[in-house]
Amino acid sequence: MNRPQSVGHTALDPVTMSEDQLRLIDSYWRAANYLSVGQIYLLDNPLLAEPLEAEHVKPRLLGHWGTTPGLNLIYAHLNRVIRDRDADVIYVTGPGHGGPGLVANAYLEGTYSEVYPGIGQDAEGLRKLFRQFSFPGGIPSHVAAQTPGSIHEGGELGYSLVHAFGAAFDNPNLVVACVIGDGEAETGPLAASWHSNKFLNPAIDGAVLPILHLNGYKIANPTVLERIPSPELEALLRGYGYRPITVSGDEPKIVHQQLAAAFDDAFDAISAIQKAARNGGVADRPVWPMIVLRTPKGWTGPKVVDGKPVEGTWRAHQVPLAETRDNPEHRAQLESWLHSYRPAELFDEHGALRPELRALPPTGARRMSANPHANGGQLLRELDLPDFADYAVPVDQPAATMHEATRVLGAFLRDVIVRNPDRFRLMGPDETASNRLGAVFESTDKVWLSRTTPDDENLAPDGRVMEVLSEHLCQGWLEGYLLTGRHGLFNCYEAFVHIVDSMFNQHAKWLSTSRELSWRQPIASLNYLLSSHVWRQDHNGASHQDPGFIDLVANKRPEIVRVYLPPDANSLLSVTDHCLRSRNYVNVIVAGKQPALSYLPMDDAILHCTRGLGIWQWASTATAEPDVVMACAGDIPTLETLAAADILRRELPELRVRLVNVVDLMRLLPDSEHPHGLTDHEFDALFTTDKPVIFAYHGYPWLIHRLTYRRDVHHYIHVRGFKERGTTTTPFDMVMLNDLDRFHLVMDVIDRVDGLAERAAMLRQRMVDSRLAARRYTREHGEDDPAISDWTWSST
Amino acid sequence: MNRPQSVGHTALDPVTMSEDQLRLIDSYWRAANYLSVGQIYLLDNPLLAEPLEAEHVKPRLLGHWGTTPGLNLIYAHLNRVIRDRDADVIYVTGPGHGGPGLVANAYLEGTYSEVYPGIGQDAEGLRKLFRQFSFPGGIPSHVAAQTPGSIHEGGELGYSLVHAFGAAFDNPNLVVACVIGDGEAETGPLAASWHSNKFLNPAIDGAVLPILHLNGYKIANPTVLERIPSPELEALLRGYGYRPITVSGDEPKIVHQQLAAAFDDAFDAISAIQKAARNGGVADRPVWPMIVLRTPKGWTGPKVVDGKPVEGTWRAHQVPLAETRDNPEHRAQLESWLHSYRPAELFDEHGALRPELRALPPTGARRMSANPHANGGQLLRELDLPDFADYAVPVDQPAATMHEATRVLGAFLRDVIVRNPDRFRLMGPDETASNRLGAVFESTDKVWLSRTTPDDENLAPDGRVMEVLSEHLCQGWLEGYLLTGRHGLFNCYEAFVHIVDSMFNQHAKWLSTSRELSWRQPIASLNYLLSSHVWRQDHNGASHQDPGFIDLVANKRPEIVRVYLPPDANSLLSVTDHCLRSRNYVNVIVAGKQPALSYLPMDDAILHCTRGLGIWQWASTATAEPDVVMACAGDIPTLETLAAADILRRELPELRVRLVNVVDLMRLLPDSEHPHGLTDHEFDALFTTDKPVIFAYHGYPWLIHRLTYRRDVHHYIHVRGFKERGTTTTPFDMVMLNDLDRFHLVMDVIDRVDGLAERAAMLRQRMVDSRLAARRYTREHGEDDPAISDWTWSST
């Protein structure tokens, strides 16, 4: 067994708890451990009322014991602190695969039976509780949306601490206890998350208490942080800006006393920091306390199995005894393991927790399993939104004047922030100004608790904008903030949102599950504003050009995901307002930041965005039945499509062109597949059933085929989009590289419409020549031909 | 201006360099800075032979000045160290947007003109060098594949240090100098990368010298690491296991001397560590040196522009003077900025670098811009591969015996490792044993330089397997290792490979670009083995169920990406052997680890994998023209398809079923779209043009539609796959949740084949009943009905 290293920095107070308190807390811990082992192993005989037989044991053993006793230990001690101080605490479980522990504690607190009335506080309830765990039709093996008191899954490791900070922002009375496994601590997102303390304001935010649980092992290996010398670990944590309080041991009585003292120390320190900040205002960034807990992996479990050490090794990670159904020796070991918790001391003969233990945890909303912050929808207050129409840009005629869409949005967001000083945050990886949302800084700042210099601008401890050069932190903070009942927007360079693909996946899965749980109240949607997009990466080139996040999003359950491509400033305002009001979705908005033409006066924009797509009659030459549909989604494709339509109406005026603009991408799906989907009737009325459709799309072309696959016209749809050709070049050269330019779209129309006049063939050749000329121009001058870049609807 | 903090820990030796050395190194630095500014600003007049006019200046100013002078300073000093010690050094540029600096240095060393002969060492060459930068048809603004000497883009920040370590592994004489920007240092991957020193063996690996360049700002904000107190930063870096050597200042002469001393100190320490480890073998993990360099952002650039401070602030990030074409004052400032480097002292009247400066950098392969490690294909040595057929499992009859595919592969990989002890590594985030590749530990260990305990297994400083709980590190180490001319395989849980989506994107982009550069030699492919896949996450549930990485991969350029879904153990062997021999691709192999049926004897497997797909005649009832094609891709879909075909051959023997298995997914694309694509003729011969195709696919169904979109039969293809329904449950319950089960596939066939006997309708109803019964069974027993899970081809 790998005994925890003994270290010198323990805040040791061996008499923090009386003998009786010690006995009780240890009993409570045993109860949680007993229920945890029961969940992993037992189908029946939950109180061991009879000898353990093979049929009492699950045929498939699916769960993770290793981390669980540590989670239970921390839980029991937090309960004591909450009771002592009437503290408001939630519990974030980094090692989320220790699901049985959190379920056990929710059950011991009574919450589980309140939320799931089928599972009562008696022997039958215990039987069901055990049986359902990791069982078909039951609950997952991990802490999950199904687990009362959780805002965090922990299946994909790395996000516990960032979620914890997100939960603490603007929750001044909340303490977020965050258990970080030493495996998780090796991940990049977790390693970066420690620095979140530079963005936590003790005057207006709550506290995060990180508890680094070093049990020494991951699935199959020791962990880095447990095996580096203690002084190195201490330096690291102090370097991150914390004061570590270490508790270490494998003797329960001693560890109980140490841990109680450590929690008292930590909570005292938190109170002192907050009091100082709230009385005198913020001065310096405080050094927050944290706990390092070194206990054996799989503590209190089997010490040796089949001659090999298990407790305190990686072998305790999942199920220490793997053959309890078929191997009588394993089963006997399981039985004595279960008996080692002395269940009869913990539960009465009916299976009810004994009163002295029942009296131990906090009650009501103070129970961590019932804390409303962990069911954030309960606390959700509507945003106070200004009328977005007040921020509209004037559009007297379409495609004639230029605006920077995100800059216009910035003014709206500024006032959203002003009106909601306690429940809305704007996240961005050092890109809020770059994405031209700078108007927000007229009324707020970026959160910054570190040193400032006279030249700094817009930094303050109470800023409402959060910037750090980590998409992981932006995403994770926002997730934690939303899950605890608040609102926000994450603005990000389009290409780099891929950095958080996997975090998005996990959040979408969480939303999918929580929608199916009636007791989980809806939370605000996760809103992305992707700007600095693929078509305008003039400064940065290929590494910054990737519109594929939309494809990832489209793979998730349709009831969760929405994708919007507003073509101009006013439509961006309308779409954003809609997204900020929505619940339980992931909304992806893609919008450019560069000066671009405006098409829609505000009223039209509202109508257009409400419909999600529609014919732009002013840009169409067809009154009824068109010869060709030119469809577009995204600001740059819309521009190129309009410019192409402009050429066609001048050069081939007899060609009946219908121009359809798509804002809400999910409208393209059938109504049977997405709540926003159009009926076939509606769809056909726009796109026809048999006319060529030239579709200019912002991203990878295939998504449009996928979305329109079931439509009659599908076979006639020809999509242009990004085909992975990019570099540092001019805007028009970029669209040409990908055949999305106006000239190519005209060629596409000519190639696909039958029976055109001979003039069309000549026009086609002129388009080829125009492309060559444009290419030559940019290569000579280093910028686009103004005849192209200055195009407006009525200029030619 | 934010002056660098003065600190106390500087390794200060004010007379490291003589006055003459100092003058020369400063001149060289000025030359690099001059060339950098020239690239950002100048179209013409490269030597300022005449007064600077508007037409000499680029119309669009696209580049990043802020980080560049720091990069140039480090480069010049590394040159000195290389010369002094004949050191073998490559330069990894974390702040890759400082592209002009690295291009400037490659030009000064002559490498640029060797690689791009059009750009000579004269005034015309300078003009072209300047003009091409960030110019249409020219080079990107970032360090990129086009930049000689680079293995790293740096456009997406976070991966410099992990690439550097990857480059150093098994390169005992190489020193990888890695510049880390303080913006990049905020990212998660970078934060985790510091711990790579626990996996670097001084006896057999080279050294990494991190240079944390604190210039204080990102795009728009100060940086965390520059603004925390120096003792905190020092604790952090010591906690990461380094000895920081700090250099700080804004007075060039002093900084030059300090930095020279710091480099001498660092290189001395590296030599001492390596000597100790190589003479006496490894003892403890060494504390490696690193450098902290604090200099002003945009150093030597304009101090004030339009009344606002620029040098030493975030305003220096991109172009300090933005209106040099139209604003004469800005242009005058640019001119005097350029003159401040005294170009006439640096270049002769023909534009050639003056001899005393030309003599300064190292020569030949010692030039960092020409170091072959940074063009890894030059050093690539073939893998010595055992005959994979020697590891075959016997398959006397198809679908009768079970094997764990990855376990079989493990034995092959074990011997690949044995035969290639200096050029092959296996990466995995703590999952190599979990993914059942454990045979590798018969002959090697996991790299581990930290403390060990007696219970540890398979840990050693010279292990060839690299495990850490960070997909970012696994991916980044492997990228660095491949880019410097070695080979490897990354085994990963399928769902969590999404964590490195963005790293994959960037690597694929790098490969796309480097394939177009004749001087970049092909490197070994990036090989993924995705196991513990979506269909068999019995322990872990929804968070671990996501097959979407394949979709991401399919969005990249077809010449780069390959996806393989071997159906069994022997085909996995064949596919893996093929991938390990390939060059310049990203290969994704998806394979299960659970016991599963084998279908193909080795010879058949080789043939099948070589073809990439094919009819399994033994499982088909059609001899010529089929009534229906049952296609499958992936081990679980293949199992379910075969079980469905088995039902059909027994119950509807007159139905002519053709079974097609697909290993190489890209074969489905037309030959015009992918090098592996089938011609229509070949495709139609397998799938017909008009018969129903029921396609059971491993991942999200849409990808199959996308790949087959242009085929005649497309309209008749019906795809089953993962539709985002998952939890902790039994294997068969998982396929039922997603309608991929054998019973549903039979229903799909019946629903789509016309003119079936009435018996078919009854069979269909039996299938519905079978699904219900199977569901009931799992919910009662907690495991699958053995009649289902024990199915073999001839068992029923």
Side-chain angles (χ1 to χ4, degrees), chain A residues 141 218-219 221 227 430 455-456 467 501 509 539 545-546 556, chain B residues 1 141 218-219 221 227 430 456 467 501 509 539 545-546 556:
Chain A
S141 63
K218 309 176 291 241
I219 302 178
N221 286 294
R227 292 293 176 90
D430 193 33
D455 285 331
D456 289 335
E467 296 220 324
D501 275 4
K509 284 170 185 283
H539 271 72
Q545 290 160 341
D546 191 304
K556 294 295 135 192
Chain B
M1 172 174 157
S141 64
K218 309 178 289 244
I219 302 179
N221 286 294
R227 292 292 177 91
D430 194 33
D456 289 335
E467 296 221 324
D501 274 5
K509 284 170 185 284
H539 271 72
Q545 291 160 341
D546 191 303
K556 293 296 137 192

mmCIF file of all heavy atoms in Angstrom, chain A residues 141 218-219 221 227 430 455-456 467 501 509 539 545-546 556, chain B residues 1 141 218-219 221 227 430 456 467 501 509 539 545-546 556:
data_model
loop_
_atom_site.group_PDB
_atom_site.id
_atom_site.type_symbol
_atom_site.label_atom_id
_atom_site.label_comp_id
_atom_site.label_asym_id
_atom_site.label_seq_id
_atom_site.Cartn_x
_atom_site.Cartn_y
_atom_site.Cartn_z
ATOM 1 N N SER A 141 -23.462 5.502 -13.770
ATOM 2 C CA SER A 141 -22.480 5.230 -12.730
ATOM 3 C C SER A 141 -21.818 6.503 -12.221
ATOM 4 O O SER A 141 -21.242 6.517 -11.152
ATOM 5 C CB SER A 141 -21.418 4.269 -13.257
ATOM 6 O OG SER A 141 -20.701 4.853 -14.322
ATOM 7 N N LYS A 218 -4.519 7.092 -10.861
ATOM 8 C CA LYS A 218 -5.563 7.222 -11.871
ATOM 9 C C LYS A 218 -6.090 5.810 -12.144
ATOM 10 O O LYS A 218 -6.198 5.006 -11.218
ATOM 11 C CB LYS A 218 -4.952 7.850 -13.126
ATOM 12 C CG LYS A 218 -4.189 9.121 -12.823
ATOM 13 C CD LYS A 218 -3.494 9.724 -14.016
ATOM 14 C CE LYS A 218 -2.333 8.921 -14.523
ATOM 15 N NZ LYS A 218 -1.040 9.661 -14.453
ATOM 16 N N ILE A 219 -6.466 5.527 -13.394
ATOM 17 C CA ILE A 219 -6.946 4.176 -13.704
ATOM 18 C C ILE A 219 -5.828 3.171 -13.463
ATOM 19 O O ILE A 219 -6.029 2.125 -12.852
ATOM 20 C CB ILE A 219 -7.374 4.046 -15.196
ATOM 21 C CG1 ILE A 219 -8.457 5.051 -15.566
ATOM 22 C CG2 ILE A 219 -7.852 2.624 -15.478
ATOM 23 C CD1 ILE A 219 -8.869 4.967 -17.041
ATOM 24 N N ASN A 221 -2.197 4.214 -13.205
ATOM 25 C CA ASN A 221 -0.904 4.838 -12.961
ATOM 26 C C ASN A 221 -0.945 5.715 -11.718
ATOM 27 O O ASN A 221 -2.004 6.213 -11.350
ATOM 28 C CB ASN A 221 -0.541 5.754 -14.140
ATOM 29 C CG ASN A 221 -0.121 4.984 -15.360
ATOM 30 O OD1 ASN A 221 0.888 4.321 -15.363
ATOM 31 N ND2 ASN A 221 -0.942 5.071 -16.399
ATOM 32 N N ARG A 227 3.151 12.319 -6.639
ATOM 33 C CA ARG A 227 4.506 11.770 -6.622
ATOM 34 C C ARG A 227 5.609 12.822 -6.701
ATOM 35 O O ARG A 227 6.788 12.470 -6.645
ATOM 36 C CB ARG A 227 4.657 10.756 -7.755
ATOM 37 C CG ARG A 227 3.834 9.484 -7.583
ATOM 38 C CD ARG A 227 4.310 8.636 -6.423
ATOM 39 N NE ARG A 227 3.461 7.468 -6.220
ATOM 40 C CZ ARG A 227 3.646 6.268 -6.794
ATOM 41 N NH1 ARG A 227 4.656 6.092 -7.620
ATOM 42 N NH2 ARG A 227 2.822 5.266 -6.542
ATOM 43 N N ASP A 430 -9.816 37.098 -24.442
ATOM 44 C CA ASP A 430 -8.978 38.242 -24.829
ATOM 45 C C ASP A 430 -9.439 38.823 -26.160
ATOM 46 O O ASP A 430 -8.653 39.398 -26.904
ATOM 47 C CB ASP A 430 -7.505 37.801 -24.924
ATOM 48 C CG ASP A 430 -6.531 38.973 -25.003
ATOM 49 O OD1 ASP A 430 -6.817 40.018 -24.392
ATOM 50 O OD2 ASP A 430 -5.512 38.850 -25.688
ATOM 51 N N ASP A 455 -1.249 52.639 -17.357
ATOM 52 C CA ASP A 455 -1.680 52.575 -18.752
ATOM 53 C C ASP A 455 -2.817 51.589 -18.990
ATOM 54 O O ASP A 455 -3.356 51.526 -20.099
ATOM 55 C CB ASP A 455 -0.502 52.167 -19.651
ATOM 56 C CG ASP A 455 0.464 53.318 -19.836
ATOM 57 O OD1 ASP A 455 0.004 54.473 -19.785
ATOM 58 O OD2 ASP A 455 1.657 53.051 -20.024
ATOM 59 N N ASP A 456 -3.148 50.794 -17.996
ATOM 60 C CA ASP A 456 -4.210 49.806 -18.195
ATOM 61 C C ASP A 456 -5.542 50.493 -18.445
ATOM 62 O O ASP A 456 -5.795 51.586 -17.949
ATOM 63 C CB ASP A 456 -4.346 48.906 -16.954
ATOM 64 C CG ASP A 456 -3.168 47.951 -16.815
ATOM 65 O OD1 ASP A 456 -2.536 47.640 -17.833
ATOM 66 O OD2 ASP A 456 -2.891 47.538 -15.678
ATOM 67 N N GLU A 467 -12.166 38.117 -19.311
ATOM 68 C CA GLU A 467 -11.239 37.799 -20.384
ATOM 69 C C GLU A 467 -10.006 37.106 -19.834
ATOM 70 O O GLU A 467 -9.382 37.567 -18.887
ATOM 71 C CB GLU A 467 -10.809 39.082 -21.098
ATOM 72 C CG GLU A 467 -11.938 39.780 -21.798
ATOM 73 C CD GLU A 467 -11.517 40.329 -23.141
ATOM 74 O OE1 GLU A 467 -10.374 40.777 -23.271
ATOM 75 O OE2 GLU A 467 -12.346 40.286 -24.072
ATOM 76 N N ASP A 501 -14.772 22.008 -28.028
ATOM 77 C CA ASP A 501 -15.715 21.043 -28.605
ATOM 78 C C ASP A 501 -16.232 20.071 -27.547
ATOM 79 O O ASP A 501 -17.437 19.817 -27.433
ATOM 80 C CB ASP A 501 -15.023 20.199 -29.686
ATOM 81 C CG ASP A 501 -15.017 20.871 -31.056
ATOM 82 O OD1 ASP A 501 -15.471 22.023 -31.156
ATOM 83 O OD2 ASP A 501 -14.536 20.232 -32.013
ATOM 84 N N LYS A 509 -25.014 17.229 -23.495
ATOM 85 C CA LYS A 509 -25.501 15.973 -22.924
ATOM 86 C C LYS A 509 -26.191 16.235 -21.575
ATOM 87 O O LYS A 509 -27.228 15.653 -21.257
ATOM 88 C CB LYS A 509 -24.345 14.983 -22.745
ATOM 89 C CG LYS A 509 -23.891 14.323 -24.052
ATOM 90 C CD LYS A 509 -22.595 13.535 -23.866
ATOM 91 C CE LYS A 509 -22.079 12.971 -25.178
ATOM 92 N NZ LYS A 509 -22.796 11.785 -25.656
ATOM 93 N N HIS A 539 -5.707 38.898 -40.985
ATOM 94 C CA HIS A 539 -4.446 38.961 -40.252
ATOM 95 C C HIS A 539 -3.805 37.592 -40.025
ATOM 96 O O HIS A 539 -2.613 37.511 -39.813
ATOM 97 C CB HIS A 539 -4.683 39.528 -38.847
ATOM 98 C CG HIS A 539 -4.581 40.999 -38.774
ATOM 99 N ND1 HIS A 539 -5.525 41.823 -39.305
ATOM 100 C CD2 HIS A 539 -3.654 41.811 -38.210
ATOM 101 C CE1 HIS A 539 -5.185 43.078 -39.071
ATOM 102 N NE2 HIS A 539 -4.056 43.095 -38.412
ATOM 103 N N GLN A 545 -8.969 29.648 -39.602
ATOM 104 C CA GLN A 545 -10.085 29.486 -40.550
ATOM 105 C C GLN A 545 -10.706 28.107 -40.394
ATOM 106 O O GLN A 545 -10.174 27.119 -40.915
ATOM 107 C CB GLN A 545 -9.571 29.719 -41.982
ATOM 108 C CG GLN A 545 -9.207 31.188 -42.217
ATOM 109 C CD GLN A 545 -8.273 31.419 -43.390
ATOM 110 O OE1 GLN A 545 -7.605 30.514 -43.858
ATOM 111 N NE2 GLN A 545 -8.228 32.667 -43.862
ATOM 112 N N ASP A 546 -11.794 28.022 -39.670
ATOM 113 C CA ASP A 546 -12.470 26.738 -39.505
ATOM 114 C C ASP A 546 -13.898 26.970 -39.028
ATOM 115 O O ASP A 546 -14.115 27.355 -37.876
ATOM 116 C CB ASP A 546 -11.709 25.860 -38.508
ATOM 117 C CG ASP A 546 -12.242 24.441 -38.520
ATOM 118 O OD1 ASP A 546 -13.468 24.262 -38.309
ATOM 119 O OD2 ASP A 546 -11.465 23.511 -38.743
ATOM 120 N N LYS A 556 -25.683 16.979 -32.171
ATOM 121 C CA LYS A 556 -26.324 16.776 -30.867
ATOM 122 C C LYS A 556 -27.829 16.700 -31.024
ATOM 123 O O LYS A 556 -28.381 16.971 -32.081
ATOM 124 C CB LYS A 556 -25.919 17.891 -29.904
ATOM 125 C CG LYS A 556 -24.450 17.870 -29.541
ATOM 126 C CD LYS A 556 -24.026 16.630 -28.765
ATOM 127 C CE LYS A 556 -22.733 16.087 -29.345
ATOM 128 N NZ LYS A 556 -22.358 14.758 -28.897
ATOM 129 N N MET B 1 4.322 53.514 -20.120
ATOM 130 C CA MET B 1 4.906 52.202 -20.454
ATOM 131 C C MET B 1 5.039 51.338 -19.220
ATOM 132 O O MET B 1 5.398 51.797 -18.144
ATOM 133 C CB MET B 1 6.277 52.437 -21.071
ATOM 134 C CG MET B 1 7.047 51.148 -21.284
ATOM 135 S SD MET B 1 8.572 51.497 -22.159
ATOM 136 C CE MET B 1 9.508 50.071 -21.645
ATOM 137 N N SER B 141 1.024 35.371 -42.171
ATOM 138 C CA SER B 141 1.596 36.293 -41.194
ATOM 139 C C SER B 141 2.232 35.548 -40.024
ATOM 140 O O SER B 141 3.033 36.110 -39.296
ATOM 141 C CB SER B 141 0.518 37.252 -40.679
ATOM 142 O OG SER B 141 -0.480 36.541 -39.987
ATOM 143 N N LYS B 218 -1.490 40.529 -23.819
ATOM 144 C CA LYS B 218 -2.064 39.730 -24.899
ATOM 145 C C LYS B 218 -2.555 40.717 -25.965
ATOM 146 O O LYS B 218 -1.933 41.748 -26.175
ATOM 147 C CB LYS B 218 -3.217 38.886 -24.332
ATOM 148 C CG LYS B 218 -2.803 38.102 -23.086
ATOM 149 C CD LYS B 218 -3.938 37.307 -22.472
ATOM 150 C CE LYS B 218 -4.987 38.156 -21.799
ATOM 151 N NZ LYS B 218 -5.059 37.900 -20.333
ATOM 152 N N ILE B 219 -3.678 40.394 -26.628
ATOM 153 C CA ILE B 219 -4.213 41.335 -27.625
ATOM 154 C C ILE B 219 -4.612 42.646 -26.952
ATOM 155 O O ILE B 219 -4.293 43.730 -27.412
ATOM 156 C CB ILE B 219 -5.476 40.765 -28.321
ATOM 157 C CG1 ILE B 219 -5.193 39.434 -29.000
ATOM 158 C CG2 ILE B 219 -6.000 41.770 -29.354
ATOM 159 C CD1 ILE B 219 -6.426 38.828 -29.673
ATOM 160 N N ASN B 221 -5.165 42.867 -23.197
ATOM 161 C CA ASN B 221 -5.140 42.775 -21.739
ATOM 162 C C ASN B 221 -3.739 42.454 -21.245
ATOM 163 O O ASN B 221 -2.960 41.839 -21.954
ATOM 164 C CB ASN B 221 -6.052 41.625 -21.271
ATOM 165 C CG ASN B 221 -7.514 41.966 -21.401
ATOM 166 O OD1 ASN B 221 -8.007 42.845 -20.716
ATOM 167 N ND2 ASN B 221 -8.209 41.274 -22.295
ATOM 168 N N ARG B 227 1.558 39.727 -14.139
ATOM 169 C CA ARG B 227 1.018 40.606 -13.111
ATOM 170 C C ARG B 227 0.922 39.976 -11.720
ATOM 171 O O ARG B 227 0.509 40.634 -10.777
ATOM 172 C CB ARG B 227 -0.362 41.116 -13.547
ATOM 173 C CG ARG B 227 -0.309 42.079 -14.749
ATOM 174 C CD ARG B 227 0.345 43.396 -14.414
ATOM 175 N NE ARG B 227 0.445 44.268 -15.594
ATOM 176 C CZ ARG B 227 -0.488 45.154 -15.954
ATOM 177 N NH1 ARG B 227 -1.600 45.273 -15.253
ATOM 178 N NH2 ARG B 227 -0.308 45.909 -17.021
ATOM 179 N N ASP B 430 -3.619 7.472 -19.798
ATOM 180 C CA ASP B 430 -3.888 6.558 -18.681
ATOM 181 C C ASP B 430 -4.797 5.414 -19.125
ATOM 182 O O ASP B 430 -5.544 4.863 -18.332
ATOM 183 C CB ASP B 430 -4.554 7.339 -17.530
ATOM 184 C CG ASP B 430 -4.564 6.559 -16.218
ATOM 185 O OD1 ASP B 430 -3.618 5.786 -15.976
ATOM 186 O OD2 ASP B 430 -5.520 6.721 -15.441
ATOM 187 N N ASP B 456 4.229 -0.228 -7.478
ATOM 188 C CA ASP B 456 4.078 0.256 -8.846
ATOM 189 C C ASP B 456 4.445 -0.831 -9.847
ATOM 190 O O ASP B 456 5.292 -1.692 -9.577
ATOM 191 C CB ASP B 456 4.991 1.471 -9.081
ATOM 192 C CG ASP B 456 4.499 2.699 -8.344
ATOM 193 O OD1 ASP B 456 3.293 2.776 -8.062
ATOM 194 O OD2 ASP B 456 5.318 3.585 -8.046
ATOM 195 N N GLU B 467 2.051 7.813 -20.666
ATOM 196 C CA GLU B 467 0.699 7.963 -20.130
ATOM 197 C C GLU B 467 0.645 9.146 -19.175
ATOM 198 O O GLU B 467 1.450 9.266 -18.257
ATOM 199 C CB GLU B 467 0.295 6.697 -19.374
ATOM 200 C CG GLU B 467 0.202 5.477 -20.261
ATOM 201 C CD GLU B 467 -0.999 4.618 -19.917
ATOM 202 O OE1 GLU B 467 -1.332 4.520 -18.734
ATOM 203 O OE2 GLU B 467 -1.601 4.069 -20.849
ATOM 204 N N ASP B 501 -9.761 17.981 -30.614
ATOM 205 C CA ASP B 501 -10.284 18.345 -31.937
ATOM 206 C C ASP B 501 -9.451 19.441 -32.592
ATOM 207 O O ASP B 501 -9.072 19.360 -33.760
ATOM 208 C CB ASP B 501 -11.721 18.887 -31.810
ATOM 209 C CG ASP B 501 -12.763 17.783 -31.814
ATOM 210 O OD1 ASP B 501 -12.388 16.593 -31.820
ATOM 211 O OD2 ASP B 501 -13.974 18.121 -31.781
ATOM 212 N N LYS B 509 -3.985 20.950 -40.915
ATOM 213 C CA LYS B 509 -3.684 22.128 -41.727
ATOM 214 C C LYS B 509 -2.180 22.194 -42.015
ATOM 215 O O LYS B 509 -1.756 22.522 -43.121
ATOM 216 C CB LYS B 509 -4.154 23.398 -41.019
ATOM 217 C CG LYS B 509 -5.673 23.615 -41.092
ATOM 218 C CD LYS B 509 -6.113 24.749 -40.165
ATOM 219 C CE LYS B 509 -7.621 24.914 -40.129
ATOM 220 N NZ LYS B 509 -8.160 25.580 -41.322
ATOM 221 N N HIS B 539 -19.373 0.910 -18.355
ATOM 222 C CA HIS B 539 -19.068 1.491 -17.042
ATOM 223 C C HIS B 539 -19.445 2.957 -16.939
ATOM 224 O O HIS B 539 -19.632 3.463 -15.844
ATOM 225 C CB HIS B 539 -17.557 1.452 -16.787
ATOM 226 C CG HIS B 539 -17.087 0.216 -16.139
ATOM 227 N ND1 HIS B 539 -17.028 -0.976 -16.795
ATOM 228 C CD2 HIS B 539 -16.649 -0.029 -14.877
ATOM 229 C CE1 HIS B 539 -16.550 -1.902 -15.973
ATOM 230 N NE2 HIS B 539 -16.331 -1.360 -14.805
ATOM 231 N N GLN B 545 -19.821 8.617 -24.545
ATOM 232 C CA GLN B 545 -20.389 8.086 -25.787
ATOM 233 C C GLN B 545 -20.468 9.187 -26.836
ATOM 234 O O GLN B 545 -21.380 10.007 -26.813
ATOM 235 C CB GLN B 545 -21.781 7.488 -25.487
ATOM 236 C CG GLN B 545 -21.685 6.222 -24.633
ATOM 237 C CD GLN B 545 -22.966 5.844 -23.916
ATOM 238 O OE1 GLN B 545 -23.853 6.665 -23.738
ATOM 239 N NE2 GLN B 545 -23.040 4.592 -23.484
ATOM 240 N N ASP B 546 -19.497 9.185 -27.735
ATOM 241 C CA ASP B 546 -19.518 10.200 -28.792
ATOM 242 C C ASP B 546 -18.599 9.762 -29.920
ATOM 243 O O ASP B 546 -17.378 9.774 -29.772
ATOM 244 C CB ASP B 546 -19.087 11.562 -28.250
ATOM 245 C CG ASP B 546 -19.371 12.657 -29.256
ATOM 246 O OD1 ASP B 546 -18.854 12.556 -30.408
ATOM 247 O OD2 ASP B 546 -20.101 13.600 -28.937
ATOM 248 N N LYS B 556 -11.751 17.715 -43.164
ATOM 249 C CA LYS B 556 -10.438 18.199 -43.583
ATOM 250 C C LYS B 556 -10.146 17.768 -45.013
ATOM 251 O O LYS B 556 -10.861 16.969 -45.604
ATOM 252 C CB LYS B 556 -9.356 17.698 -42.627
ATOM 253 C CG LYS B 556 -9.473 18.282 -41.233
ATOM 254 C CD LYS B 556 -9.282 19.791 -41.193
ATOM 255 C CE LYS B 556 -10.322 20.425 -40.287
ATOM 256 N NZ LYS B 556 -10.424 21.863 -40.362
#
